[in-house]
């Protein structure tokens, strides 16, 4: 383990920034900005490097998040977080994997920037209220109120029921088989009556312009969409945001990443990212692994 506190805590800093921003590219920028600040201070005077670095990253992520909120209001079609390839050990940390899931990141998008920072730092990383107060520039009493408000907000909006990674993998394997055999009925049979499908093309790639709700509509979307490309499509099971996902290739080229939320059997949520900008990190990591 490196003796440099920044390198020792870099993974934590990136995860904090990513959970606040939902964008790996923006999280990397924030971590780089934090490094520049760290490199410019008298490090011998910093009593608690971890707390200091978390505070720096949080404040810089808050500044960026306020800008992103305005930008996302103008986003073309549904917005989904940038998919992040993760290692199996992330999935072993159930709380962290749940907080990284697409469904949870979409709930976090409904919080104010300060609420999101407080929720992430308190609920996911278990920071104390005094440390939280320093990170977001509020009093401990104010932070306690913000934390309570954020927890209530998340509890009201997070999907009901405990999602299962094993069942999600099973549903994705059914999708994979449907692509390989051309028989889509097995996949359609897995849809919950109130399933919601979201597609993010960023206005660059064709995707759903708005959420599609209900098993009948989603089934028609799947069968109509895949029927024309199923013989050109291939799917690979990967780990994304701590959960099973499918890396979909069209004519051999990475086209999209699809994840699902499964609660006690049926698929309740389908999330497909086609925006090339959001896939650029995965493209790079896949090419490097070859």
């Amino acid at each position: 383990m490196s003796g440099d506190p920044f390198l020792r805590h870099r993974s934590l800093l990136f995860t904090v920034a990513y959970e606040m921003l939902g964008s790996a590219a923006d999280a990397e920028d924030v971590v780089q900005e934090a490094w520049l600040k760290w490199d410019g201070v008298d490090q011998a005077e910093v009593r608690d490097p971890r707390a200091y670095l978390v505070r720096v990253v949080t404040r810089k992520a808050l500044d960026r998040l306020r800008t992103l909120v305005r930008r996302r209001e103008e986003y073309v079609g549904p917005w989904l977080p940038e998919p992040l390839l993760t290692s199996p050990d992330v999935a072993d940390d159930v709380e962290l994997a749940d907080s990284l899931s697409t469904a949870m990141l979409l709930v976090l998008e409904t919080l104010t920037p300060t609420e999101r920072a407080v929720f992430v730092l308190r609920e996911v990383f278990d920071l104390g209220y005094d440390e939280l107060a320093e990170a977001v520039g509020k009093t401990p009493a104010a932070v306690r109120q913000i934390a309570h408000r954020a927890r209530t907000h998340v509890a009201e909006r997070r999907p009901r029921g405990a999602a299962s990674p094993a069942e999600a993998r099973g549903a994705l394997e059914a999708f994979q088989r449907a692509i390989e055999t051309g028989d889509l009925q097995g996949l359609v049979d897995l849809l919950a009556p109130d399933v919601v499908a979201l597609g993010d093309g960023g206005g660059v790639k064709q995707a759903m312009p708005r959420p599609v709700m209900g098993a009948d509509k989603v089934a028609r979307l799947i069968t109509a969409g895949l029927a024309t490309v199923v013989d050109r499509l291939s799917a690979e099971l990967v780990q994304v945001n701590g959960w099973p996902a499918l890396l979909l290739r069209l004519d051999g080229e990475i086209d999209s990443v699809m994840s699902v939320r499964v609660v006690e059997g049926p698929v309740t949520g389908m999330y497909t990212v086609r925006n090339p900008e959001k896939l650029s990190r995965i493209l790079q990591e896949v090419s490097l692994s070859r």
Side-chain angles (χ1 to χ4, degrees):
M1 183 69 71
S2 169
D4 185 338
F6 183 89
L7 296 179
R8 191 160 62 247
H9 299 303
R10 193 186 189 287
S11 177
L12 166 68
L13 301 177
F14 174 83
T15 305
V16 168
Y18 176 77
E19 292 219 22
M20 286 182 61
L21 300 169
S23 163
D26 286 304
E28 288 285 9
D29 288 345
V30 163
V31 171
Q32 179 62 26
E33 291 169 8
W35 158 250
L36 294 174
K37 187 169 180 64
W38 173 249
D39 194 45
V41 301
D42 184 352
Q43 295 169 15
E45 296 295 314
V46 179
R47 287 183 303 161
D48 187 341
R50 179 182 180 275
Y52 173 84
L53 290 166
V54 168
R55 183 165 67 247
V56 170
V57 162
T58 298
R59 291 182 176 177
K60 290 187 177 297
L62 273 171
D63 289 341
R64 186 164 293 232
L65 185 56
R66 292 183 180 110
T67 301
L68 290 176
V69 167
R70 292 191 293 273
R71 192 190 308 168
R72 286 171 192 171
E73 289 174 353
E74 303 169 356
Y75 197 80
V76 178
W79 180 92
L80 289 172
E82 179 180 346
L84 185 68
L85 286 177
T86 48
S87 57
D89 61 323
V90 172
D92 292 339
D93 186 335
V94 176
E95 189 172 348
L96 179 58
D98 183 58
S99 71
L100 284 170
S101 72
T102 299
M104 176 55 86
L105 289 173
L106 287 173
V107 172
L108 295 183
E109 282 290 306
T110 66
L111 300 176
T112 68
T114 302
E115 286 174 344
R116 183 166 183 166
V118 168
F119 183 87
V120 167
L121 294 175
R122 178 66 182 168
E123 300 300 317
V124 182
F125 298 104
D126 200 28
L127 262 68
Y129 287 110
D130 289 342
E131 194 175 356
L132 259 176
E134 286 191 32
V136 300
K138 304 282 186 181
T139 66
V143 163
R144 285 180 183 272
Q145 290 182 331
I146 293 169
H148 175 73
R149 190 165 65 241
R151 278 195 301 270
T152 301
H153 187 107
V154 169
E156 290 172 348
R157 288 163 176 77
R158 73 188 306 169
R160 298 190 182 279
S164 164
E167 289 183 320
R169 173 176 287 274
L172 291 168
E173 288 172 343
F175 192 97
Q176 195 174 24
R177 287 194 298 274
I179 291 173
E180 291 169 352
T181 64
D183 180 10
L184 304 179
Q185 190 58 46
L187 177 63
V188 170
D189 290 342
L190 291 174
L191 301 178
D194 58 350
V195 62
V196 177
L198 297 173
D200 181 343
V204 180
K205 285 286 192 76
Q206 184 177 358
M208 293 166 265
R210 61 190 63 84
V212 177
M213 292 174 280
D216 289 343
K217 290 182 179 179
V218 173
R220 286 198 297 271
L221 176 75
I222 291 172
T223 53
L226 290 182
T228 57
V229 297
V230 70
D231 58 338
R232 300 162 51 205
L233 203 61
S234 63
E236 175 189 355
L237 270 168
V238 292
Q239 195 85 5
V240 169
N241 291 57
W243 287 74
L246 283 182
L247 190 63
L248 299 173
R249 289 182 171 86
L250 188 63
D251 296 327
E253 301 295 328
I254 293 176
D255 175 80
S256 52
V257 169
M258 189 185 81
S259 57
V260 295
R261 188 173 192 275
V262 179
V263 178
E264 297 177 354
V267 175
T268 60
M270 295 180 63
Y271 315 101
T272 306
V273 176
R274 297 196 73 208
N275 185 343
E277 184 178 343
K278 293 184 179 182
L279 296 176
S280 59
R281 183 185 179 93
I282 285 181
L283 279 166
Q284 183 179 22
E285 291 186 19
V286 169
S287 64
L288 288 175
S289 66
R290 288 177 176 174

